[in-house]
Amino acid sequence: MEQELTKKEIRFKGIPASPGIVIGPVYHFRKHEPLIFVRAIADDEVEKEIERLSTARARSQKELQKVFEFAEQKLGEEQCKIFEAQKMILEDNVLFDAVFSRIRTEKKNAEHLMKDEIEKYSRLMAASTDEYARERVNDVQDVCNRVLRNLEEQKLISKIDGSNVIVSHNLAAADALIFSRNDVLGYVTELGGATSHMALLARALKIPAVVGVHQIDAMVQAEDIIIVDGFNGIVVLNPSKETLKHFEKKRLEYERFEETLAPLRDQPAETLDGHRVQLAANVELEQELEFIKMQGADGIGLYRTESLLLGKEVFPSEQEQYEQYRRIAESLYPKQAVIRTFDIGGDKFMAQSVRENNPFLGWRGIRIMLDKPQIFLDQLRAILRASSLKNLLVMFPMISSIKEVKLAKQLVDQAKDDLRAQKIPFDEHLRLGAMIEVPAAAIIADHLAREVSFLSIGTNDLIQYLLAVDRGNDIVSDLFQEFHPAVIRFLRRIIERGSQGHVWVGMCGQMASDPLATILLVGLGLDEFSVAPAVLPEIKKIIRSIHFTEAKHVAESVLEMKSEDEIKGFLKRLMKNKFPDIPIG
Ligand code: PEP
Ligand code: MG
C-alpha cells in the first residue's frame, strides 16, 4: 500500500452508472483484440480452414451459452435477452455461409474473412445516430472477437484473484457478467453511457460503476489503488492519504447511514409538521422491483418502458408487453406504478434508424408514437389490459402542445373501445399524465393540467432545452445546472400552475434524486418525487426531518438568488448544518 501512496494522485470525472463507493486495487482488463493479417491459403488447406472456423464457432457458442445461463440464473429472463441477440449472430447461417464460401473462392484465412464480413454488419449499425443501435455494434464486435480468439485457440479470461476494480477501455456486457463471478468491487470504463448494456448490468448486479472516464486506460497500471464513487461519477487513481481518508469516511458514513435508514422503510415521506409527499422510485428493469420495495418506495413514479426494447429488432407484441406490465401491477399492488409510453428517439433506441442533424430536437417521444399509431395502440392496449387492479397510470413523454395530449387521449379511447369489443376488462378511469420536459409545456402547464390527472417534470430534458445545454455532452456539462435561477423559477411556475389546475405535480428527472435539492423542492410544493432507488431512504430521511414552513422559507430565499453558485452554496451550508452525515456531491 505504501508504494501506491507515493504515486501521483489522478482524479477523473465520468458518468455515474451504478451507485456505491468502493476502494481497492485495479485489475486492468485489456480485451484481447487480435491483430489480423491476411494470409493466402493453398488449395489443400481450404477444408482445414473451414473446419477451423467451424470449431471456433462451436466453442464460441458454448462460451456464450454459459454466459447466457449464468445471466438467467443471476438476473432473470429479461436481462438474458442481451445475450440472446449475441447467440443469434453465431447461429446466423447466412453470415457463416458467406465466410465459408469466401474461404473457398478467395482462398484467404478465416480470421481475415470473418472480420471483414462482421465489419460490414458493424458499419451499418455504427452509422446510426441512436445509442442503442451503437451499443449493438459492441455486441456484434464482441461476438467477432470471441470467434477470433477461439480461432487463435486463446483462452477466455474470466478468473481473477482477490477483490478488484475492473478498469478497461471498453467492457462488453458479457465480460462484466463473467467477471461478476469473481469478487468484483466495481467497474470503470472509458467508453459507454449510463444507458449502455454494461451500465444496466452493473445496476442489476448492484456493483458500483463509472463509465465514460476519458484517458484512464492509458494512465492505469495493474495493482494501482482506485476509488470509484458511483454516486457522483468520480474516479481517483492512486489517491493521496487525505483523499483515501476522505472517501473511506464517505464510504463508512454511507454504510452506517444505510443501516440507520432501514427503520425508515415503512414510514411515510412526511415533514415534521405533517405535510405528506409521495416518494416513488424510477425503474428500468423488472429486477429492481424487490429492491424498491426494500427501500420503502411509495410506488413507481417512472417506469421507463424502453428497457422492453433492449436487444430487440422489432417492438414487443401487445401480449408480451401486457405480461410485463401485469407483473409490475401485481407485484406493487396496492401501490401505484406510472408507466411511461415508449420514449424513443433522441439518444434512445430506435427500431429503424433515422438520420437527424438534431435528434434531441427531432422525432422523439410522443411525436413518434403519434406518427406510428399501431405501435402506440399496442402499448396502450397492453397497459389497459394490465390496469384492472386500478394501480397503473400512464404518462406521455416529450409533450409540447395541447394538441398532442388530445391526440394521445383519442388513441387511449380507441384502445379502450378495442378492448370493450373483445370484452376484456380494464380500468375505465385509467389516469393519464403529461411529462413536462419541453419549455413550451411548462409555459402552458395550466392548460395541460385541465387535460390530464398529473404532471411529472423531467428535469433531464427540461434543463437541456431551457438552458440550451446537451444533456449528454461532457464539454458543456458544467453548464447543465439544476440550480440555475431560471430552472428554479420555472419549477415554481409549473408546480403553481399544476396545483391551480388541481392536479398533482411530480418530478422524475435526476434533480429529484439530488439530496441537495430536496428541501427546496418540498418548499416549492412538489407533490411527488420519483427518485433513483439507491438514494430513496436518504431523501425520505431529509423530508421527515424538516418542517414544511421552514422548507417554504428556503424556497422563497432561493427564488431571490441570482446565480447557481449562490444557490448551491446556500443549500450546501444548510445541508451540512442539518445533515452532516448525508454525502453531498
Ligand atoms: C427526464 O427527461 O428528466 C426524464 C425523466 O426522462 P429521460 O431521462 O428518460 O429522458
Ligand atoms: Mg426525458
Side-chain angles (χ1 to χ4, degrees), residues 282 302 304 306 340 343 347-348 364 435 437 457-462 471 508-510:
N282 288 351
L302 165 64
R304 287 186 167 99
E306 302 83 57
R340 178 174 75 182
D343 181 21
D347 63 342
K348 301 198 186 91
R364 64 171 297 207
M435 281 191 80
E437 305 186 276
I457 307 170
T459 47
N460 308 343
D461 279 312
L462 185 65
R471 63 191 265 187
C508 56
Q510 186 57 31

Side-chain angles (χ1 to χ4, degrees), residues 284-298:
E284 283 172 41
L285 302 171
E286 202 185 326
Q287 288 71 30
E288 292 172 291
L289 289 178
E290 281 315 304
F291 184 55
I292 66 157
K293 282 192 239 169
M294 214 172 76
Q295 296 287 77
D298 285 326

Side-chain angles (χ1 to χ4, degrees), residues 363-426:
W363 203 43
R364 64 171 297 207
I366 194 72
R367 300 171 182 179
I368 298 183
M369 291 295 109
L370 293 175
D371 288 346
K372 301 268 176 204
Q374 290 316 323
I375 295 171
F376 200 21
L377 282 167
D378 272 349
Q379 186 173 33
L380 293 172
R381 276 191 299 264
I383 302 172
L384 277 161
R385 283 171 59 190
S387 71
S388 46
L389 290 169
K390 300 193 173 27
N391 64 337
L392 293 187
L393 292 82
V394 172
M395 175 160 89
F396 306 121
M398 271 298 283
I399 291 290
S400 61
S401 70
I402 289 288
K403 186 174 166 197
E404 286 165 341
V405 176
K406 289 199 161 149
L407 287 171
K409 282 167 71 178
Q410 276 170 19
L411 287 164
V412 172
D413 286 340
Q414 190 177 327
K416 285 181 175 176
D417 285 344
D418 293 346
L419 296 183
R420 275 187 207 105
Q422 298 173 62
K423 299 204 172 7
I424 297 176
F426 59 87

Side-chain angles (χ1 to χ4, degrees), residues 348-559:
K348 301 198 186 91
F349 170 94
M350 277 289 277
Q352 71 205 81
S353 283
V354 179
R355 271 217 161 274
E356 291 180 286
N357 285 336
N358 283 311
F360 273 120
L361 302 182
W363 203 43
R364 64 171 297 207
I366 194 72
R367 300 171 182 179
I368 298 183
M369 291 295 109
L370 293 175
D371 288 346
K372 301 268 176 204
Q374 290 316 323
I375 295 171
F376 200 21
L377 282 167
D378 272 349
Q379 186 173 33
L380 293 172
R381 276 191 299 264
I383 302 172
L384 277 161
R385 283 171 59 190
S387 71
S388 46
L389 290 169
K390 300 193 173 27
N391 64 337
L392 293 187
L393 292 82
V394 172
M395 175 160 89
F396 306 121
M398 271 298 283
I399 291 290
S400 61
S401 70
I402 289 288
K403 186 174 166 197
E404 286 165 341
V405 176
K406 289 199 161 149
L407 287 171
K409 282 167 71 178
Q410 276 170 19
L411 287 164
V412 172
D413 286 340
Q414 190 177 327
K416 285 181 175 176
D417 285 344
D418 293 346
L419 296 183
R420 275 187 207 105
Q422 298 173 62
K423 299 204 172 7
I424 297 176
F426 59 87
D427 177 6
E428 287 283 351
H429 303 289
L430 181 80
R431 282 153 296 167
L432 307 177
M435 281 191 80
I436 305 291
E437 305 186 276
V438 179
I443 292 167
I444 57 164
D446 48 345
H447 292 166
L448 289 171
R450 279 184 221 115
E451 295 292 330
V452 291
S453 308
F454 66 96
L455 303 175
S456 183
I457 307 170
T459 47
N460 308 343
D461 279 312
L462 185 65
I463 296 175
Q464 80 160 342
Y465 294 130
L466 184 63
L467 303 183
V469 180
D470 181 345
R471 63 191 265 187
N473 180 344
D474 53 11
I475 302 172
V476 287
S477 60
D478 282 354
L479 297 176
F480 190 96
Q481 300 176 346
E482 288 174 351
F483 297 97
H484 189 298
V487 172
I488 314 293
R489 287 188 185 191
F490 226 39
L491 295 180
R492 189 203 20 201
R493 186 190 166 104
I494 301 164
I495 296 167
E496 271 181 6
R497 301 292 152 96
S499 32
Q500 281 160 11
H502 306 292
V503 300
W504 58 262
V505 181
M507 179 183 287
C508 56
Q510 186 57 31
M511 188 174 183
S513 300
D514 185 349
L516 196 58
T518 311
I519 302 179
L520 169 65
L521 295 175
V522 169
L524 288 170
L526 193 72
D527 299 300
E528 184 237 26
F529 291 63
S530 189
V531 306
V535 299
L536 194 141
E538 269 171 41
I539 306 277
K540 192 185 270 188
K541 159 118 183 185
I542 299 173
I543 295 170
R544 290 183 55 80
S545 314
I546 54 168
H547 286 88
F548 187 36
T549 45
E550 174 198 356
K552 282 198 277 198
H553 286 309
V554 168
E556 285 311 318
S557 307
V558 167
L559 281 162

